[in-house]
Amino acid sequence: MTHGFGEFFHTATGHRPYAYQAGFAESGLPRLVRVPSGGGKSAAAVLAWLYRRLVSAVEVTPRRLVYVLPQGSLAEPTHARIAEWLHHLGYTDDVDLHLLAGPESQNGAWRRFPERNAILVGTHDGLLSRALMRGFADARAMAPVSFGLLNTDTHWVFDEMHLLGPGLPTSTRLQSLRESFGTTAPTGSTWMSSTSDGVTTDGGDVAAGPRLAAVRRIRRLDPDPTRYVDDLVDALGAAHLPGTQSIAVLGSAQRAREVYGALRAAHPGREIVLVHPYARSADRRVGAAVSEEAGRDRILVTTRALDVGSDASGRTLLTELAPWSALVQRAGRCNRHGEHPAGGDLLWCVPPDGPGPNAGVAAWLNAHEGEAVTTVDLFRARVGRNPTPSQVLGEHDVLAMFDNAYGAVPADASPWICADDERTVLVAWRVWESGEPAEDEPGPGRGEQCEAPLADVRKMLDDRGVWLRDPVDGRWRHAAADDLRAGTSVVLDAARGGYLPEVGWAPESGAPVPSLFTGRTPPAIACVAWVSLDRHLLETEEEARAVTAALPGLTEAQREAVARAARFHDLGKCHDVFQAMLRGGGGGEPPEHLLAKSKAPWSTGVSTRAYFRHELVSALILLNGEHWHVPRVEPELVTYLVAAHHGRVRVSVRPEADEDARTLLGVRDGDRTPPVAVSTGDHFPGQSLDTGAFRPGGSWTPRALALRDRDDLGPFRLAYLESLVRVADWRSSARHDGPATGLVP
């Protein structure tokens, strides 16, 4: 096997694997990996998983790999590197690759094909929050799907675990809860580090390799706090060797912008580049690609964005004092490849706010002033850490977050994932003659958005220039302080500034921001047929049986529950309110029978009743009678999966604030549904609806919690089954999609 993996690895990378990398391919990814910076941890994890998943251990290797970088990292270089490996191996059609970082963290395409092999690359804030059903920038209705898939049949790899902050104990706790609650298919985790902490390490053959013998000389700078930026600029200018790259790593985006601006003013003829994660998607990609370019005469100014996952190298590297793990990573980017035989210069300084918790790091650097150290020296050094205080994730917290209803507590997963000063929101800019968005203006797309520090955006609330769509009723309104939490999406008036294409997020700038909004764009794909309710139910069941047959670990009872839920999921579309919506476009020739889908463009998409949820009606139909019960199919589970298939009617169901006492999510007590017959032979008589079971104090929530807490289900299995019903629904709907071109009202 080792020889086989050797060829596999060489084809992907052009290099032979180290012994530890081959060992991972033979025995599987371990829980803990400690290898010096530049020692090939990413390749070891990704290619060993890939080899086992596709070649040597298919049945026991999870089909999804989640590769996690610390928050604030640019994930684009790692994503591009993996894409290159897949291309060299000829596996681009066999393995889906998705980027989930910055604005692209909202990409949900990975959820549609749970049976496919897939690699997800992102940062720990976006990925861990989704694994807790409180995904930053994830639609609340999609939370159960993300939760179900990320906690099942998945292997998590955490790169540079000591830079995860509160996310580190959360990641370990989540893995232990998967093991105790149980998952449908095995899900594991691997934590990687470039420091040894005096512990027995992997990668002994790496430490002996010539590449990691490259040296950098340590030198302290002592800038005057009253002219801090100017002194750093002077030091960089003096240390920069023409024909080489210098890198300056600042502890905050604001200081990085200040140093960048001062460098450009002091050295107008020199290439100065600013790279950080607070930029729109296209600018992030450009910055990530530029940072990987070798052999340039320039100064690269950055933040922690390049600490992990980047292959950038500079002869001279200046860093502000940072946690030991970050400093080791940055030192690994000084003469990274040994391209400067005489060695590089590692300059460091204490930031204006003092050493803080990094005094031990400063003591080590001071003790080695003037010395030439190798990556291996840094790897083996023992520098005490100051653990980040964090909220402990309890079993009760995960169980509570299984309820994703608006108003459910806890509302936010941030305390278990990132420190207060590291939380970010997504910002877009629009041009409004009236100073505010139009009522029907769509929300921002990923390409428009920029990740920005939450604290910066909070300061903008005073001028009432921050807009968002209300998460409940979808209307545009001014954002309030309580609205802003990690992952919130907001829109600013482009005239007020806040972004510069060459700088990225720049709250101090008043220059108008070029808006990337191109107006309301008609969908390119639409439903091209009137689809009967009966046909949609049958086709969804077909899709459910197909997807469950392709996935491991499901019991026959679970497969049948998913299939039956798919068969019944849209029964509630028989309601007059939904049928009127499908036919409400005022044209076309809709058939008289009950519909599930409307031929575009004849559906208005707007219900005559606010908040109307057809899946609530579906569940009420199933609850009102036992004639559809059959042996070996659990009616409680089927009913739950039917109610939950849009992610909105799950554990607790609350009326909206402006609904009267007789109405719940647009469904009124006393509403009558017509008889429904399914070609499978199932018949549901017309009936009068009573929402009492779903109201606070009703029987629904105890039923849902009983399923969640069952030993043979638990939160991870139950959400996974929900995901499969949702996927089957998406796929059956897609059968009738086609180009929207030529569809006229």
Side-chain angles (χ1 to χ4, degrees):
M1 180 188 296
T2 302
H3 174 75
F5 178 69
E7 294 303 317
F8 184 92
F9 191 97
H10 184 266
T11 299
T13 67
H15 305 288
R16 307 301 299 182
Y18 292 115
Y20 89 92
Q21 294 169 325
F24 292 175
E26 182 174 356
S27 303
L29 294 176
R31 289 181 69 90
L32 183 61
V33 177
R34 296 183 185 274
V35 175
S37 177
K41 296 189 302 300
S42 299
V46 174
L47 294 176
W49 169 84
L50 189 63
Y51 184 75
R52 291 177 64 80
R53 177 63 200 160
L54 298 183
V55 180
S56 69
V58 177
E59 299 301 323
V60 298
T61 303
R63 68 192 58 239
R64 276 178 295 280
L65 182 76
V66 178
Y67 195 94
V68 186
L69 296 97
Q71 180 184 6
S73 303
L74 280 178
E76 285 82 354
T78 299
H79 177 267
R81 199 166 296 119
I82 294 173
E84 186 176 322
W85 295 338
L86 292 173
H87 174 71
H88 290 163
L89 290 164
Y91 285 146
T92 52
D93 293 332
D94 300 289
V95 181
D96 298 334
L97 177 62
H98 301 279
L99 176 66
L100 293 171
E104 298 305 317
S105 64
Q106 299 164 99
N107 179 5
W110 63 274
R111 293 181 286 229
R112 291 185 173 267
F113 300 97
E115 78 278 25
R116 286 185 56 82
N117 303 311
I119 301 174
L120 281 57
V121 181
T123 49
H124 88 267
D125 50 333
L127 288 165
L128 273 179
S129 63
R130 282 161 173 75
L132 290 174
M133 210 178 286
R134 294 293 186 271
F136 299 167
D138 202 17
R140 184 64 67 95
M142 288 294 181
V145 185
S146 299
F147 178 88
L149 298 182
L150 289 175
N151 288 303
T152 301
D153 208 3
T154 299
H155 195 96
W156 289 71
V157 174
F158 296 93
D159 201 350
E160 292 307 322
M161 62 184 187
H162 295 301
L163 299 180
L164 300 179
L168 176 57
T170 296
S171 67
T172 60
R173 182 65 173 143
L174 253 178
Q175 181 58 36
S176 69
L177 289 173
R178 294 183 196 113
E179 293 164 1
S180 61
F181 284 132
T183 57
T184 301
T187 296
S189 296
T190 295
W191 292 269
M192 305 198 300
S193 174
S194 293
T195 60
S196 71
D197 291 340
V199 179
T200 302
T201 63
D202 302 290
D205 56 324
V206 177
R211 180 182 180 187
L212 299 189
V215 299
R216 65 280 297 160
R217 291 171 293 274
I218 296 174
R219 180 158 64 91
R220 175 171 179 158
L221 302 178
D222 289 297
D224 183 340
T226 64
R227 44 172 287 118
Y228 182 79
V229 170
D230 290 337
D231 281 2
L232 288 189
V233 168
D234 291 344
L236 273 168
H240 178 76
L241 185 66
T244 70
Q245 176 164 268
S246 295
I247 302 175
V249 189
L250 286 304
S252 74
Q254 179 179 344
R255 278 204 296 277
R257 293 193 301 269
E258 292 171 352
V259 169
Y260 168 76
L263 277 169
R264 292 192 65 182
H267 303 279
R270 177 163 292 154
E271 183 182 8
I272 313 292
V273 178
L274 176 63
V275 178
H276 60 73
Y278 303 138
R280 297 192 283 204
S281 291
D283 294 333
R284 279 175 62 107
R285 288 193 296 271
V286 170
V290 166
S291 70
E292 296 280 289
E293 295 174 353
R296 299 289 290 268
D297 182 346
R298 67 178 174 195
I299 299 177
L300 188 65
V301 181
T302 185
T303 60
R304 57 182 176 171
L306 302 183
D307 282 358
V308 185
S310 170
D311 210 30
S313 179
R315 181 207 169 272
T316 303
L317 187 137
L318 164 65
T319 177
E320 291 185 318
L321 189 63
W324 179 246
S325 297
L327 190 131
V328 169
Q329 286 294 104
R330 294 170 192 179
R333 276 144 189 77
C334 178
N335 194 23
R336 178 173 181 80
H337 310 294
E339 66 269 35
H340 302 289
D345 289 327
L346 176 62
L347 315 178
W348 70 280
C349 64
V350 176
D353 51 358
N358 301 312
V361 180
W364 190 93
L365 291 168
N366 282 324
H368 293 79
E369 174 71 16
E371 293 183 13
V373 298
T374 68
T375 301
V376 176
D377 293 332
L378 294 163
F379 174 66
R380 291 174 174 164
R382 301 186 66 175
V383 177
R385 302 181 195 280
N386 291 307
T388 304
S390 61
Q391 191 166 315
V392 177
L393 179 70
E395 178 178 310
H396 63 283
D397 296 312
V398 173
L399 293 176
M401 283 188 280
F402 189 81
D403 185 356
N404 70 318
Y406 288 110
V409 177
D412 185 13
S414 296
W416 294 284
I417 293 173
C418 52
D420 289 349
D421 60 355
E422 294 178 340
R423 298 173 190 178
T424 62
V425 296
L426 294 170
V427 181
W429 286 262
R430 298 274 176 86
V431 176
W432 300 314
E433 291 185 6
S434 65
E436 61 183 48
E439 183 177 339
D440 63 345
E441 186 172 317
R446 299 198 302 267
E448 296 179 73
Q449 293 178 312
C450 165
E451 190 176 16
L454 186 153
D456 286 357
V457 177
R458 188 164 278 152
K459 294 174 184 176
M460 299 176 174
L461 292 176
D462 291 342
D463 63 9
R464 295 177 61 80
V466 182
W467 292 83
L468 53 69
R469 278 195 176 278
D470 188 280
V472 177
D473 63 22
R475 295 189 178 96
W476 287 104
R477 63 172 174 81
H478 291 289
D482 290 345
D483 294 316
L484 296 184
R485 58 171 59 110
T488 301
S489 177
V490 300
V491 180
L492 304 181
D493 188 337
R496 75 169 308 285
Y499 190 91
L500 296 170
E502 72 279 8
V503 172
W505 174 249
E508 65 276 5
S509 170
V513 179
S515 175
L516 301 182
F517 179 55
T518 56
R520 182 180 291 278
T521 304
I525 300 296
C527 183
V528 297
W530 300 101
V531 182
S532 72
L533 179 57
D534 181 57
R535 182 174 184 178
H536 178 62
L537 296 177
L538 294 176
E539 290 178 343
T540 305
E541 181 179 358
E542 289 176 3
E543 294 288 350
R545 292 190 184 277
V547 71
T548 56
L551 293 168
L554 295 163
T555 66
E556 284 307 310
Q558 290 168 349
R559 294 181 201 276
E560 194 60 30
V562 169
R564 293 298 174 117
R567 180 189 297 182
F568 300 143
H569 76 293
D570 273 353
L571 286 173
K573 287 185 175 180
C574 72
H575 195 289
D576 288 346
V577 168
F578 201 90
Q579 292 296 306
M581 182 189 71
L582 292 179
R583 293 171 163 84
E589 298 179 358
E592 294 183 0
H593 55 245
L594 293 172
L595 294 174
K597 304 289 178 182
S598 177
K599 181 178 180 179
W602 304 116
S603 170
T604 63
V606 178
S607 172
T608 56
R609 287 197 201 159
Y611 317 115
F612 183 82
R613 299 308 314 174
H614 68 273
E615 65 271 28
L616 174 57
V617 180
S618 299
L620 289 170
I621 291 173
L622 294 180
L623 286 173
N624 192 14
E626 299 180 357
H627 61 283
W628 61 274
H629 297 186
V630 295
R632 296 185 297 279
V633 174
E634 297 182 63
E636 294 282 344
L637 179 56
V638 171
T639 304
Y640 173 83
L641 295 177
V642 166
H645 83 272
H646 277 293
R648 296 181 184 271
V649 182
R650 298 182 65 252
V651 178
S652 62
V653 183
R654 299 171 172 85
E656 300 300 340
D658 55 350
E659 290 190 311
D660 60 41
R662 295 178 54 246
T663 308
L664 179 65
L665 300 186
V667 181
R668 287 181 186 154
D669 292 342
D671 279 353
R672 288 199 61 84
T673 57
V676 181
V678 187
S679 295
T680 55
D682 297 285
H683 295 272
F684 298 88
Q687 55 190 270
S688 178
L689 302 179
D690 181 349
T691 61
F694 284 87
R695 293 182 178 277
S699 63
W700 177 257
T701 296
R703 291 179 186 217
L705 294 178
L707 290 170
R708 183 203 67 182
D709 297 339
R710 264 175 38 183
D711 289 342
D712 63 331
L713 285 174
F716 301 123
R717 293 189 187 99
L718 185 56
Y720 186 62
L721 299 181
E722 290 181 56
S723 304
L724 301 184
V725 176
R726 193 80 170 273
V727 166
D729 190 18
W730 290 335
R731 292 185 182 182
S732 64
S733 296
R735 292 188 182 191
H736 304 284
D737 286 346
T741 305
L743 297 174
V744 294

